[in-house]
Amino acid sequence: MRHIVLVLLCCLPVAALAGGLAAGARGAGHTETAGRHGLLPAEAPRAAAATAHHRAPRPRIVRREAWLDAAHRHRRQPPPRYDDKVVAVFLHHTDTPNDYSCADTPRIIRGLYDGQTDGRHWDDIGYNFLVDRCGTIYEGRAGGVDRPVTGAHTQGFNHRTAGIAAIGTFDAGMPVPRAMTDAIAALVAWKLGLAGVDPRSSVVLVSSNGHSRYPAGTAAVLPALAGHRDGFPTDCPGAALAVRLPALRETAARLQGRF
């Protein structure tokens, strides 16, 4: 457990909760969907309507009750915060060991939760979803998997985004299980499809915190499926996962029925 708590600090920024949630009010980080090459199209409303039907099936998601029972739940957790929709996803790795049994995943997630709520005094786990090496998707932050819950995963860019954490360490040369990447692609396709967002597109996200890669208030053009390091100076999600982002975008787009 101690190892999980310590290595977590390598992936998530110290002020992620404050950076993502300080604005508090819903929709504080205004965002617009951009074109495939990062430019806002002149007919964005028409394009949004045209892509609204690209919905992917919801993958199986294990509810948070599977890893968080009453005995371990944070006692002073406030109500969830919400944005109006999710237009981008940030991919992370947890920077924890890879040689775990998938039967131990609930315990591992609970350790991450403890590290963030007890060690960092956050109100909940920062990630919206977590995916293990066997491809099982777990609900992370409370608020409803189908709702645009404001997370605490990417400093400066927690509004209108979702954070997905791959459980393990995926630095250069580390193998990435196919079951894990398949599950991530399916989750991205479904979550972005709720807002009609093409996973291969770019979006404009407004930084809410000057400790991100962009000064507060900057409108940054970022991939709809981005790595943590796209928004914050970090190695997360690791080179082995980062190099798979283009393929993950294409797979997610196909799952949405885009050709």
Side-chain angles (χ1 to χ4, degrees):
M1 183 76 70
R2 177 176 175 80
H3 180 68
I4 291 174
V5 171
L6 291 177
V7 295
L8 177 64
L9 304 182
C10 300
C11 186
L12 286 178
V14 173
L17 182 61
L21 301 182
R26 173 177 170 181
H30 178 67
T31 320
E32 295 181 58
T33 301
R36 288 286 303 277
H37 301 290
L39 300 176
L40 288 173
E43 299 181 349
R46 184 184 302 174
T51 59
H53 66 281
H54 288 291
R55 299 289 183 93
R58 171 176 160 171
R60 179 179 177 270
I61 301 172
V62 178
R63 299 297 301 271
R64 61 189 262 131
E65 287 80 5
W67 58 266
L68 187 64
D69 57 25
H72 294 89
R73 188 177 301 115
H74 195 282
R75 293 183 179 180
R76 297 182 179 179
Q77 182 172 312
R81 296 175 174 88
Y82 298 96
D83 291 298
D84 60 332
K85 59 184 175 180
V86 168
V87 300
V89 171
F90 282 96
L91 183 61
H92 304 254
H93 69 170
T94 57
D95 211 7
T96 51
N98 293 353
D99 58 347
Y100 57 89
S101 165
C102 292
D104 286 337
T105 298
R107 178 187 58 80
I108 293 169
I109 298 175
R110 190 163 57 249
L112 296 169
Y113 171 86
D114 288 341
Q116 293 178 0
T117 58
D118 293 336
R120 294 183 166 217
H121 308 293
W122 293 4
D123 60 358
D124 197 357
I125 193 168
Y127 309 117
N128 298 99
F129 302 94
L130 301 98
V131 181
D132 72 10
R133 62 196 298 268
C134 295
T136 304
I137 302 169
Y138 288 83
E139 176 185 15
R141 197 169 183 84
V145 296
D146 57 344
R147 300 189 66 185
V149 179
T150 306
H153 50 83
T154 305
Q155 184 162 271
F157 297 104
N158 288 313
H159 288 287
R160 302 185 99 192
T161 68
I164 299 175
I167 299 176
T169 300
F170 298 101
D171 296 331
M174 297 298 293
V176 182
R178 175 65 181 272
M180 173 179 277
T181 56
D182 284 349
I184 291 170
L187 180 56
V188 169
W190 169 70
K191 194 64 178 177
L192 291 183
L194 296 177
V197 176
D198 187 335
R200 304 164 298 179
S201 69
S202 297
V203 297
V204 178
L205 298 171
V206 178
S207 174
S208 65
N209 189 293
H211 293 291
S212 74
R213 284 196 180 277
Y214 303 87
T218 301
V221 178
L222 296 170
L225 172 55
H228 185 187
R229 65 186 188 179
D230 290 315
F232 183 80
T234 176
D235 291 332
C236 186
L241 260 180
V243 75
R244 286 167 170 77
L245 283 170
L248 285 169
R249 295 179 187 116
E250 293 294 332
T251 301
R254 286 197 300 272
L255 291 172
Q256 287 185 348
R258 302 178 188 273
F259 300 97

